[in-house]
Amino acid sequence: MRFDEDTICAIATPIGEGGIGIVRVSGPDALAIANKIVRLRSARPLESVASHTLHLADIVFSDSAPTGSGSECDGQIIDEGLVVYMSGARSFTAEDVVELQCHGSGVVLRRICEACLAAGARLAMPGEFTKRAFMNGRLDLSQAEAVLDTIRAKSEAGLRVAQRHLRGELSQHVDALRRRLLSMLAQVEAGIDFVEEDITFIGRTELVTSLQEALDQIQKMLVTAKVGRLLRDGARVVILGRPNVGKSSLLNAFLKEPRAIVTNIPGTTRDVLEEQVAWDGFRLTLVDTAGLRDSEDVVEQEGIRRTRAAASEADLLVHVMDATELLGQPAVTPLREDPGQEILVVNKIDLIDGSAAERLVETIGRVTGRETMSISVRTGFGLERLQEKMVSRLSKGSAESTDGLIVSNVRHRSALERAAGALSEALTSTEVNAEAECVAVDLRDAADALGEISGAITTDEVLSKIFSEFCIGK
Ligand SMILES: Nc1nc2c(ncn2[C@@H]2O[C@H](COP(=O)(O)OP(=O)(O)OP(=O)(O)O)[C@@H](O)[C@H]2O)c(=O)[nH]1
Ligand SMILES: [Mg+2]
């Protein structure tokens, strides 16, 4: 059943000047509407052209919507362009679609859109084309989300994840798991129905094994969620340390431009500065901060407060220190509990003797249990190695998991977490010989949570939320 009977139109390309721009029309009247505003140069009526073929045409604004063959309509020519009709059998929305490709001018595109509206179309809502594709069964929900992830991909790695989801690999995996849960549920429920006759359809031990297997699979997917988020949204790397150690110099070196002010006065940086870089297909936001120290200065105090706030949101801390300061007292307090989230960096290594530097780095590493590296922003020593280390820290786990599926979407992660929660409940109930009904309820919850990922189980509220994030025209 069609979820909507009206025909929608929208500008599908970004606003602004461009080589070409596209207006999309989709719905049962797409052809009839386009017919009113398109005059093919071949003088053929649009209805007569083969699906998925391009045709040169004048696109006109017809004030008096003509009846009969639109190809003969009068009206003011808006632009010339290429028109393609895609029949519902093979279109993105699974409805009849006409795309009008013209010159990429905001004026032209708006005018064409107005012409479509005058001819009977309605302006599409954000994501409505993709929503129709979902409603008409062309895509499942996780694939529809992958369309958005593709449009928004910030890095090649993020794009690769989105593309795998778009091809439906995630849903296939999750659906297979859901079918297994449903079949377990059927057996548990059958056991409930026949309890009087003392027939068991599935043994407790067998059920425990199956539940445990399913739970393991979900947990494996959840492990990929962290790296999935980094691939999708990029990672935040916060550079911090005491004043004057060379934090801003390091940021500038990474950016290859003098973005932050560098002076030999401690307390130069007062504010949090951030810039983005793409390293090895990864998107990183590098954040420079105010040096940490006790200060009476109100402005500096606020800067330090912001530094701490930035640090708490970091995926990775680059904790910079000054080699000359450390020589006297190599006391270093790590800032993060998790050693994986902090790299200790001894800067200004050019100012101390080579063997002293080696000993210093070794001592700090041993005492703190944190990976410690020496660099000199001044000479460039160690910068490349630091950069490689940062990327490998952030992508840890992705090398092995890129071959498997990566969960990159918060909604998917939360559904998987709920499924895992319900499954562990089911597992506990089974192990303690609880009523089969209890097991059944949890199994049902787990299967439903998995069903939310592909949209087999969904609510209007969830759908509106997902599609409202799309742009108009997609
Ligand atoms: N010799 C030497 N000097 C450096 C190196 N890196 C930075 N400096 C100098 O150290 C001083 C402080 O550098 P900044 O980058 O401003 O230090 P910061 O950590 O951002 O300082 P605040 O913003 O005050 O917290 C400047 O004079 C830099 O030129 C280095 O590798 N070797
Ligand atoms: Mg600074």
PDB file of all heavy atoms in Angstrom, residues 241-250 261-270 288-292 322 347-351 375-379, ligand 1:
ATOM      1  N   GLY A 241      48.436  20.625  28.806  1.00  0.00           N
ATOM      2  CA  GLY A 241      49.657  20.560  29.593  1.00  0.00           C
ATOM      3  C   GLY A 241      49.877  21.898  30.282  1.00  0.00           C
ATOM      4  O   GLY A 241      49.018  22.781  30.200  1.00  0.00           O
ATOM      5  N   ARG A 242      51.040  22.034  30.949  1.00  0.00           N
ATOM      6  CA  ARG A 242      51.309  23.279  31.672  1.00  0.00           C
ATOM      7  C   ARG A 242      51.568  24.423  30.690  1.00  0.00           C
ATOM      8  O   ARG A 242      51.808  24.190  29.506  1.00  0.00           O
ATOM      9  CB  ARG A 242      52.504  23.065  32.595  1.00  0.00           C
ATOM     10  CG  ARG A 242      52.201  22.020  33.705  1.00  0.00           C
ATOM     11  CD  ARG A 242      53.329  21.885  34.687  1.00  0.00           C
ATOM     12  NE  ARG A 242      53.967  23.162  35.003  1.00  0.00           N
ATOM     13  CZ  ARG A 242      53.453  24.102  35.813  1.00  0.00           C
ATOM     14  NH1 ARG A 242      52.277  23.906  36.373  1.00  0.00           N
ATOM     15  NH2 ARG A 242      54.107  25.213  36.036  1.00  0.00           N
ATOM     16  N   PRO A 243      51.541  25.664  31.166  1.00  0.00           N
ATOM     17  CA  PRO A 243      51.783  26.787  30.264  1.00  0.00           C
ATOM     18  C   PRO A 243      53.180  26.715  29.634  1.00  0.00           C
ATOM     19  O   PRO A 243      54.116  26.206  30.261  1.00  0.00           O
ATOM     20  CB  PRO A 243      51.678  28.013  31.172  1.00  0.00           C
ATOM     21  CG  PRO A 243      50.898  27.564  32.348  1.00  0.00           C
ATOM     22  CD  PRO A 243      51.218  26.114  32.534  1.00  0.00           C
ATOM     23  N   ASN A 244      53.268  27.213  28.410  1.00  0.00           N
ATOM     24  CA  ASN A 244      54.560  27.423  27.747  1.00  0.00           C
ATOM     25  C   ASN A 244      55.290  26.144  27.321  1.00  0.00           C
ATOM     26  O   ASN A 244      56.464  26.208  26.965  1.00  0.00           O
ATOM     27  CB  ASN A 244      55.483  28.255  28.662  1.00  0.00           C
ATOM     28  CG  ASN A 244      56.272  29.266  27.851  1.00  0.00           C
ATOM     29  OD1 ASN A 244      55.725  29.818  26.891  1.00  0.00           O
ATOM     30  ND2 ASN A 244      57.519  29.480  28.201  1.00  0.00           N
ATOM     31  N   VAL A 245      54.628  25.018  27.349  1.00  0.00           N
ATOM     32  CA  VAL A 245      55.324  23.776  26.995  1.00  0.00           C
ATOM     33  C   VAL A 245      55.373  23.551  25.479  1.00  0.00           C
ATOM     34  O   VAL A 245      56.096  22.681  24.998  1.00  0.00           O
ATOM     35  CB  VAL A 245      54.676  22.540  27.670  1.00  0.00           C
ATOM     36  CG1 VAL A 245      54.839  22.612  29.178  1.00  0.00           C
ATOM     37  CG2 VAL A 245      53.214  22.426  27.287  1.00  0.00           C
ATOM     38  N   GLY A 246      54.551  24.343  24.734  1.00  0.00           N
ATOM     39  CA  GLY A 246      54.577  24.219  23.277  1.00  0.00           C
ATOM     40  C   GLY A 246      53.315  23.611  22.683  1.00  0.00           C
ATOM     41  O   GLY A 246      53.334  23.059  21.583  1.00  0.00           O
ATOM     42  N   LYS A 247      52.197  23.756  23.387  1.00  0.00           N
ATOM     43  CA  LYS A 247      50.938  23.188  22.899  1.00  0.00           C
ATOM     44  C   LYS A 247      50.481  23.870  21.613  1.00  0.00           C
ATOM     45  O   LYS A 247      50.126  23.217  20.629  1.00  0.00           O
ATOM     46  CB  LYS A 247      49.841  23.332  23.970  1.00  0.00           C
ATOM     47  CG  LYS A 247      50.149  22.620  25.272  1.00  0.00           C
ATOM     48  CD  LYS A 247      49.059  22.813  26.297  1.00  0.00           C
ATOM     49  CE  LYS A 247      48.873  24.252  26.753  1.00  0.00           C
ATOM     50  NZ  LYS A 247      50.065  24.843  27.389  1.00  0.00           N
ATOM     51  N   SER A 248      50.492  25.212  21.665  1.00  0.00           N
ATOM     52  CA  SER A 248      50.028  25.941  20.480  1.00  0.00           C
ATOM     53  C   SER A 248      50.993  25.733  19.324  1.00  0.00           C
ATOM     54  O   SER A 248      50.567  25.627  18.164  1.00  0.00           O
ATOM     55  CB  SER A 248      49.903  27.428  20.793  1.00  0.00           C
ATOM     56  OG  SER A 248      49.010  27.605  21.876  1.00  0.00           O
ATOM     57  N   SER A 249      52.284  25.628  19.644  1.00  0.00           N
ATOM     58  CA  SER A 249      53.273  25.366  18.590  1.00  0.00           C
ATOM     59  C   SER A 249      52.976  24.026  17.932  1.00  0.00           C
ATOM     60  O   SER A 249      53.088  23.881  16.712  1.00  0.00           O
ATOM     61  CB  SER A 249      54.685  25.321  19.176  1.00  0.00           C
ATOM     62  OG  SER A 249      54.936  26.464  19.941  1.00  0.00           O
ATOM     63  N   LEU A 250      52.588  23.048  18.736  1.00  0.00           N
ATOM     64  CA  LEU A 250      52.297  21.717  18.203  1.00  0.00           C
ATOM     65  C   LEU A 250      51.062  21.766  17.295  1.00  0.00           C
ATOM     66  O   LEU A 250      51.050  21.184  16.205  1.00  0.00           O
ATOM     67  CB  LEU A 250      52.081  20.731  19.358  1.00  0.00           C
ATOM     68  CG  LEU A 250      51.804  19.286  18.961  1.00  0.00           C
ATOM     69  CD1 LEU A 250      52.958  18.693  18.165  1.00  0.00           C
ATOM     70  CD2 LEU A 250      51.534  18.410  20.193  1.00  0.00           C
ATOM     71  N   ILE A 261      48.324  31.725  18.496  1.00  0.00           N
ATOM     72  CA  ILE A 261      49.406  32.635  18.874  1.00  0.00           C
ATOM     73  C   ILE A 261      50.420  31.872  19.727  1.00  0.00           C
ATOM     74  O   ILE A 261      50.043  31.150  20.657  1.00  0.00           O
ATOM     75  CB  ILE A 261      48.871  33.825  19.686  1.00  0.00           C
ATOM     76  CG1 ILE A 261      47.850  34.604  18.849  1.00  0.00           C
ATOM     77  CG2 ILE A 261      50.016  34.739  20.139  1.00  0.00           C
ATOM     78  CD1 ILE A 261      47.158  35.719  19.607  1.00  0.00           C
ATOM     79  N   VAL A 262      51.687  32.027  19.372  1.00  0.00           N
ATOM     80  CA  VAL A 262      52.767  31.391  20.125  1.00  0.00           C
ATOM     81  C   VAL A 262      53.692  32.481  20.641  1.00  0.00           C
ATOM     82  O   VAL A 262      54.153  33.322  19.863  1.00  0.00           O
ATOM     83  CB  VAL A 262      53.570  30.431  19.213  1.00  0.00           C
ATOM     84  CG1 VAL A 262      54.861  29.989  19.896  1.00  0.00           C
ATOM     85  CG2 VAL A 262      52.723  29.223  18.845  1.00  0.00           C
ATOM     86  N   THR A 263      53.930  32.528  21.945  1.00  0.00           N
ATOM     87  CA  THR A 263      54.944  33.451  22.491  1.00  0.00           C
ATOM     88  C   THR A 263      55.671  32.712  23.610  1.00  0.00           C
ATOM     89  O   THR A 263      55.251  31.619  24.013  1.00  0.00           O
ATOM     90  CB  THR A 263      54.326  34.725  23.116  1.00  0.00           C
ATOM     91  OG1 THR A 263      53.726  34.366  24.366  1.00  0.00           O
ATOM     92  CG2 THR A 263      53.285  35.365  22.220  1.00  0.00           C
ATOM     93  N   ASN A 264      56.734  33.317  24.076  1.00  0.00           N
ATOM     94  CA  ASN A 264      57.446  32.669  25.181  1.00  0.00           C
ATOM     95  C   ASN A 264      56.878  33.092  26.534  1.00  0.00           C
ATOM     96  O   ASN A 264      57.463  32.840  27.564  1.00  0.00           O
ATOM     97  CB  ASN A 264      58.946  32.963  25.093  1.00  0.00           C
ATOM     98  CG  ASN A 264      59.211  34.457  25.128  1.00  0.00           C
ATOM     99  OD1 ASN A 264      58.263  35.247  25.284  1.00  0.00           O
ATOM    100  ND2 ASN A 264      60.460  34.863  24.993  1.00  0.00           N
ATOM    101  N   ILE A 265      55.724  33.742  26.531  1.00  0.00           N
ATOM    102  CA  ILE A 265      55.099  34.141  27.793  1.00  0.00           C
ATOM    103  C   ILE A 265      54.120  33.045  28.232  1.00  0.00           C
ATOM    104  O   ILE A 265      53.180  32.725  27.494  1.00  0.00           O
ATOM    105  CB  ILE A 265      54.316  35.466  27.629  1.00  0.00           C
ATOM    106  CG1 ILE A 265      55.250  36.534  27.072  1.00  0.00           C
ATOM    107  CG2 ILE A 265      53.669  35.882  28.940  1.00  0.00           C
ATOM    108  CD1 ILE A 265      54.525  37.744  26.530  1.00  0.00           C
ATOM    109  N   PRO A 266      54.334  32.474  29.400  1.00  0.00           N
ATOM    110  CA  PRO A 266      53.394  31.450  29.865  1.00  0.00           C
ATOM    111  C   PRO A 266      51.995  32.057  30.003  1.00  0.00           C
ATOM    112  O   PRO A 266      51.852  33.172  30.499  1.00  0.00           O
ATOM    113  CB  PRO A 266      53.951  31.040  31.231  1.00  0.00           C
ATOM    114  CG  PRO A 266      55.382  31.464  31.217  1.00  0.00           C
ATOM    115  CD  PRO A 266      55.451  32.672  30.340  1.00  0.00           C
ATOM    116  N   GLY A 267      50.982  31.311  29.604  1.00  0.00           N
ATOM    117  CA  GLY A 267      49.612  31.810  29.690  1.00  0.00           C
ATOM    118  C   GLY A 267      49.200  32.568  28.435  1.00  0.00           C
ATOM    119  O   GLY A 267      48.295  33.407  28.475  1.00  0.00           O
ATOM    120  N   THR A 268      49.841  32.276  27.316  1.00  0.00           N
ATOM    121  CA  THR A 268      49.490  32.957  26.058  1.00  0.00           C
ATOM    122  C   THR A 268      48.091  32.575  25.590  1.00  0.00           C
ATOM    123  O   THR A 268      47.269  33.420  25.262  1.00  0.00           O
ATOM    124  CB  THR A 268      50.511  32.603  24.955  1.00  0.00           C
ATOM    125  OG1 THR A 268      51.802  32.992  25.390  1.00  0.00           O
ATOM    126  CG2 THR A 268      50.162  33.289  23.655  1.00  0.00           C
ATOM    127  N   THR A 269      47.836  31.300  25.570  1.00  0.00           N
ATOM    128  CA  THR A 269      46.525  30.843  25.085  1.00  0.00           C
ATOM    129  C   THR A 269      45.520  30.950  26.228  1.00  0.00           C
ATOM    130  O   THR A 269      45.746  30.419  27.317  1.00  0.00           O
ATOM    131  CB  THR A 269      46.604  29.388  24.581  1.00  0.00           C
ATOM    132  OG1 THR A 269      47.652  29.313  23.632  1.00  0.00           O
ATOM    133  CG2 THR A 269      45.307  28.953  23.939  1.00  0.00           C
ATOM    134  N   ARG A 270      44.418  31.630  25.955  1.00  0.00           N
ATOM    135  CA  ARG A 270      43.401  31.822  27.000  1.00  0.00           C
ATOM    136  C   ARG A 270      42.132  31.063  26.682  1.00  0.00           C
ATOM    137  O   ARG A 270      41.303  30.823  27.536  1.00  0.00           O
ATOM    138  CB  ARG A 270      43.037  33.319  27.098  1.00  0.00           C
ATOM    139  CG  ARG A 270      44.187  34.228  27.481  1.00  0.00           C
ATOM    140  CD  ARG A 270      44.659  33.883  28.879  1.00  0.00           C
ATOM    141  NE  ARG A 270      45.620  34.839  29.404  1.00  0.00           N
ATOM    142  CZ  ARG A 270      45.312  35.906  30.130  1.00  0.00           C
ATOM    143  NH1 ARG A 270      44.059  36.192  30.394  1.00  0.00           N
ATOM    144  NH2 ARG A 270      46.245  36.693  30.596  1.00  0.00           N
ATOM    145  N   ASP A 288      43.447  23.041  20.882  1.00  0.00           N
ATOM    146  CA  ASP A 288      44.519  23.640  21.674  1.00  0.00           C
ATOM    147  C   ASP A 288      43.873  24.321  22.878  1.00  0.00           C
ATOM    148  O   ASP A 288      42.772  24.861  22.777  1.00  0.00           O
ATOM    149  CB  ASP A 288      45.277  24.675  20.818  1.00  0.00           C
ATOM    150  CG  ASP A 288      46.403  25.352  21.595  1.00  0.00           C
ATOM    151  OD1 ASP A 288      46.923  24.754  22.550  1.00  0.00           O
ATOM    152  OD2 ASP A 288      46.759  26.499  21.231  1.00  0.00           O
ATOM    153  N   THR A 289      44.541  24.260  24.017  1.00  0.00           N
ATOM    154  CA  THR A 289      43.907  24.764  25.237  1.00  0.00           C
ATOM    155  C   THR A 289      44.843  25.677  26.015  1.00  0.00           C
ATOM    156  O   THR A 289      46.030  25.754  25.723  1.00  0.00           O
ATOM    157  CB  THR A 289      43.532  23.580  26.156  1.00  0.00           C
ATOM    158  OG1 THR A 289      44.729  22.864  26.463  1.00  0.00           O
ATOM    159  CG2 THR A 289      42.550  22.647  25.497  1.00  0.00           C
ATOM    160  N   ALA A 290      44.274  26.334  27.018  1.00  0.00           N
ATOM    161  CA  ALA A 290      45.068  27.183  27.896  1.00  0.00           C
ATOM    162  C   ALA A 290      45.890  26.297  28.826  1.00  0.00           C
ATOM    163  O   ALA A 290      45.408  25.265  29.289  1.00  0.00           O
ATOM    164  CB  ALA A 290      44.138  28.075  28.717  1.00  0.00           C
ATOM    165  N   GLY A 291      47.128  26.715  29.091  1.00  0.00           N
ATOM    166  CA  GLY A 291      48.014  25.913  29.948  1.00  0.00           C
ATOM    167  C   GLY A 291      47.454  25.776  31.358  1.00  0.00           C
ATOM    168  O   GLY A 291      46.873  26.713  31.916  1.00  0.00           O
ATOM    169  N   LEU A 292      47.614  24.586  31.942  1.00  0.00           N
ATOM    170  CA  LEU A 292      47.062  24.323  33.273  1.00  0.00           C
ATOM    171  C   LEU A 292      48.015  24.803  34.361  1.00  0.00           C
ATOM    172  O   LEU A 292      49.171  24.386  34.418  1.00  0.00           O
ATOM    173  CB  LEU A 292      46.835  22.818  33.435  1.00  0.00           C
ATOM    174  CG  LEU A 292      45.783  22.192  32.523  1.00  0.00           C
ATOM    175  CD1 LEU A 292      45.873  20.674  32.574  1.00  0.00           C
ATOM    176  CD2 LEU A 292      44.388  22.656  32.908  1.00  0.00           C
ATOM    177  N   ASP A 322      57.469  19.970  28.960  1.00  0.00           N
ATOM    178  CA  ASP A 322      58.674  20.664  28.516  1.00  0.00           C
ATOM    179  C   ASP A 322      59.896  19.900  29.045  1.00  0.00           C
ATOM    180  O   ASP A 322      60.048  19.736  30.261  1.00  0.00           O
ATOM    181  CB  ASP A 322      58.622  22.097  29.077  1.00  0.00           C
ATOM    182  CG  ASP A 322      59.792  22.944  28.612  1.00  0.00           C
ATOM    183  OD1 ASP A 322      60.895  22.405  28.427  1.00  0.00           O
ATOM    184  OD2 ASP A 322      59.581  24.166  28.457  1.00  0.00           O
ATOM    185  N   ASN A 347      58.256  17.645  24.915  1.00  0.00           N
ATOM    186  CA  ASN A 347      58.615  18.576  23.825  1.00  0.00           C
ATOM    187  C   ASN A 347      59.922  19.311  24.158  1.00  0.00           C
ATOM    188  O   ASN A 347      60.437  19.207  25.277  1.00  0.00           O
ATOM    189  CB  ASN A 347      57.469  19.575  23.630  1.00  0.00           C
ATOM    190  CG  ASN A 347      57.694  20.478  22.429  1.00  0.00           C
ATOM    191  OD1 ASN A 347      58.365  20.102  21.469  1.00  0.00           O
ATOM    192  ND2 ASN A 347      57.151  21.687  22.490  1.00  0.00           N
ATOM    193  N   LYS A 348      60.397  20.041  23.185  1.00  0.00           N
ATOM    194  CA  LYS A 348      61.630  20.843  23.303  1.00  0.00           C
ATOM    195  C   LYS A 348      62.831  19.941  23.562  1.00  0.00           C
ATOM    196  O   LYS A 348      63.762  20.314  24.285  1.00  0.00           O
ATOM    197  CB  LYS A 348      61.508  21.902  24.420  1.00  0.00           C
ATOM    198  CG  LYS A 348      60.259  22.794  24.282  1.00  0.00           C
ATOM    199  CD  LYS A 348      60.358  24.028  25.144  1.00  0.00           C
ATOM    200  CE  LYS A 348      59.036  24.784  25.171  1.00  0.00           C
ATOM    201  NZ  LYS A 348      59.054  25.972  26.009  1.00  0.00           N
ATOM    202  N   ILE A 349      62.809  18.765  22.992  1.00  0.00           N
ATOM    203  CA  ILE A 349      63.875  17.804  23.186  1.00  0.00           C
ATOM    204  C   ILE A 349      65.184  18.327  22.594  1.00  0.00           C
ATOM    205  O   ILE A 349      66.265  17.877  22.949  1.00  0.00           O
ATOM    206  CB  ILE A 349      63.440  16.430  22.588  1.00  0.00           C
ATOM    207  CG1 ILE A 349      64.100  15.291  23.317  1.00  0.00           C
ATOM    208  CG2 ILE A 349      63.677  16.355  21.116  1.00  0.00           C
ATOM    209  CD1 ILE A 349      63.418  14.924  24.588  1.00  0.00           C
ATOM    210  N   ASP A 350      65.045  19.318  21.686  1.00  0.00           N
ATOM    211  CA  ASP A 350      66.250  19.926  21.093  1.00  0.00           C
ATOM    212  C   ASP A 350      67.086  20.664  22.132  1.00  0.00           C
ATOM    213  O   ASP A 350      68.268  20.920  21.920  1.00  0.00           O
ATOM    214  CB  ASP A 350      65.832  20.893  19.977  1.00  0.00           C
ATOM    215  CG  ASP A 350      64.832  21.937  20.448  1.00  0.00           C
ATOM    216  OD1 ASP A 350      63.660  21.573  20.745  1.00  0.00           O
ATOM    217  OD2 ASP A 350      65.181  23.116  20.556  1.00  0.00           O
ATOM    218  N   LEU A 351      66.452  20.995  23.259  1.00  0.00           N
ATOM    219  CA  LEU A 351      67.176  21.795  24.259  1.00  0.00           C
ATOM    220  C   LEU A 351      67.977  20.940  25.244  1.00  0.00           C
ATOM    221  O   LEU A 351      68.716  21.488  26.053  1.00  0.00           O
ATOM    222  CB  LEU A 351      66.190  22.676  25.050  1.00  0.00           C
ATOM    223  CG  LEU A 351      65.468  23.763  24.237  1.00  0.00           C
ATOM    224  CD1 LEU A 351      64.529  24.550  25.128  1.00  0.00           C
ATOM    225  CD2 LEU A 351      66.466  24.698  23.566  1.00  0.00           C
ATOM    226  N   ILE A 375      59.520  14.792  21.331  1.00  0.00           N
ATOM    227  CA  ILE A 375      59.409  15.556  20.085  1.00  0.00           C
ATOM    228  C   ILE A 375      60.117  16.898  20.239  1.00  0.00           C
ATOM    229  O   ILE A 375      60.433  17.336  21.356  1.00  0.00           O
ATOM    230  CB  ILE A 375      57.937  15.860  19.683  1.00  0.00           C
ATOM    231  CG1 ILE A 375      57.234  16.693  20.762  1.00  0.00           C
ATOM    232  CG2 ILE A 375      57.156  14.602  19.397  1.00  0.00           C
ATOM    233  CD1 ILE A 375      55.954  17.362  20.276  1.00  0.00           C
ATOM    234  N   SER A 376      60.351  17.524  19.103  1.00  0.00           N
ATOM    235  CA  SER A 376      60.743  18.922  19.117  1.00  0.00           C
ATOM    236  C   SER A 376      59.947  19.611  18.023  1.00  0.00           C
ATOM    237  O   SER A 376      60.127  19.307  16.844  1.00  0.00           O
ATOM    238  CB  SER A 376      62.232  19.075  18.841  1.00  0.00           C
ATOM    239  OG  SER A 376      62.489  20.428  18.485  1.00  0.00           O
ATOM    240  N   VAL A 377      59.046  20.471  18.453  1.00  0.00           N
ATOM    241  CA  VAL A 377      58.265  21.181  17.441  1.00  0.00           C
ATOM    242  C   VAL A 377      59.213  22.073  16.647  1.00  0.00           C
ATOM    243  O   VAL A 377      59.057  22.253  15.437  1.00  0.00           O
ATOM    244  CB  VAL A 377      57.147  22.025  18.084  1.00  0.00           C
ATOM    245  CG1 VAL A 377      56.380  22.789  17.020  1.00  0.00           C
ATOM    246  CG2 VAL A 377      56.194  21.137  18.869  1.00  0.00           C
ATOM    247  N   ARG A 378      60.232  22.574  17.324  1.00  0.00           N
ATOM    248  CA  ARG A 378      61.164  23.478  16.643  1.00  0.00           C
ATOM    249  C   ARG A 378      61.875  22.789  15.476  1.00  0.00           C
ATOM    250  O   ARG A 378      61.902  23.318  14.380  1.00  0.00           O
ATOM    251  CB  ARG A 378      62.191  24.021  17.635  1.00  0.00           C
ATOM    252  CG  ARG A 378      63.230  24.904  16.966  1.00  0.00           C
ATOM    253  CD  ARG A 378      63.748  25.969  17.874  1.00  0.00           C
ATOM    254  NE  ARG A 378      62.686  26.856  18.345  1.00  0.00           N
ATOM    255  CZ  ARG A 378      62.854  27.724  19.341  1.00  0.00           C
ATOM    256  NH1 ARG A 378      64.002  27.800  19.978  1.00  0.00           N
ATOM    257  NH2 ARG A 378      61.860  28.510  19.708  1.00  0.00           N
ATOM    258  N   THR A 379      62.422  21.586  15.706  1.00  0.00           N
ATOM    259  CA  THR A 379      63.163  20.918  14.622  1.00  0.00           C
ATOM    260  C   THR A 379      62.277  19.967  13.812  1.00  0.00           C
ATOM    261  O   THR A 379      62.666  19.505  12.760  1.00  0.00           O
ATOM    262  CB  THR A 379      64.320  20.068  15.189  1.00  0.00           C
ATOM    263  OG1 THR A 379      63.751  18.993  15.957  1.00  0.00           O
ATOM    264  CG2 THR A 379      65.238  20.889  16.070  1.00  0.00           C
TER     265      THR A 379
HETATM  266  N1  LIG B   1      63.388  25.161  21.797  1.00  0.00           N
HETATM  267  C1  LIG B   1      62.114  24.897  21.579  1.00  0.00           C
HETATM  268  N2  LIG B   1      61.176  25.816  21.834  1.00  0.00           N
HETATM  269  C2  LIG B   1      59.901  25.519  21.594  1.00  0.00           C
HETATM  270  C3  LIG B   1      59.485  24.258  21.086  1.00  0.00           C
HETATM  271  N3  LIG B   1      58.157  24.250  20.960  1.00  0.00           N
HETATM  272  C4  LIG B   1      57.719  25.462  21.376  1.00  0.00           C
HETATM  273  N4  LIG B   1      58.762  26.237  21.758  1.00  0.00           N
HETATM  274  C5  LIG B   1      58.703  27.613  22.277  1.00  0.00           C
HETATM  275  O1  LIG B   1      58.066  27.581  23.542  1.00  0.00           O
HETATM  276  C6  LIG B   1      57.343  28.815  23.750  1.00  0.00           C
HETATM  277  C7  LIG B   1      55.929  28.525  24.135  1.00  0.00           C
HETATM  278  O2  LIG B   1      55.259  27.916  23.056  1.00  0.00           O
HETATM  279  P1  LIG B   1      53.669  27.877  22.941  1.00  0.00           P
HETATM  280  O3  LIG B   1      53.338  27.013  21.787  1.00  0.00           O
HETATM  281  O4  LIG B   1      53.101  29.247  22.969  1.00  0.00           O
HETATM  282  O5  LIG B   1      53.329  27.150  24.298  1.00  0.00           O
HETATM  283  P2  LIG B   1      51.900  26.837  24.918  1.00  0.00           P
HETATM  284  O6  LIG B   1      51.999  25.512  25.599  1.00  0.00           O
HETATM  285  O7  LIG B   1      50.855  26.980  23.904  1.00  0.00           O
HETATM  286  O8  LIG B   1      51.777  27.943  26.022  1.00  0.00           O
HETATM  287  P3  LIG B   1      50.475  28.596  26.693  1.00  0.00           P
HETATM  288  O9  LIG B   1      49.539  28.976  25.616  1.00  0.00           O
HETATM  289  O10 LIG B   1      51.017  29.759  27.429  1.00  0.00           O
HETATM  290  O11 LIG B   1      49.924  27.582  27.621  1.00  0.00           O
HETATM  291  C8  LIG B   1      57.480  29.592  22.455  1.00  0.00           C
HETATM  292  O12 LIG B   1      58.500  30.529  22.603  1.00  0.00           O
HETATM  293  C9  LIG B   1      57.868  28.534  21.437  1.00  0.00           C
HETATM  294  O13 LIG B   1      58.636  29.043  20.353  1.00  0.00           O
HETATM  295  C10 LIG B   1      60.532  23.303  20.811  1.00  0.00           C
HETATM  296  O14 LIG B   1      60.297  22.173  20.360  1.00  0.00           O
HETATM  297  N5  LIG B   1      61.797  23.671  21.081  1.00  0.00           N
END
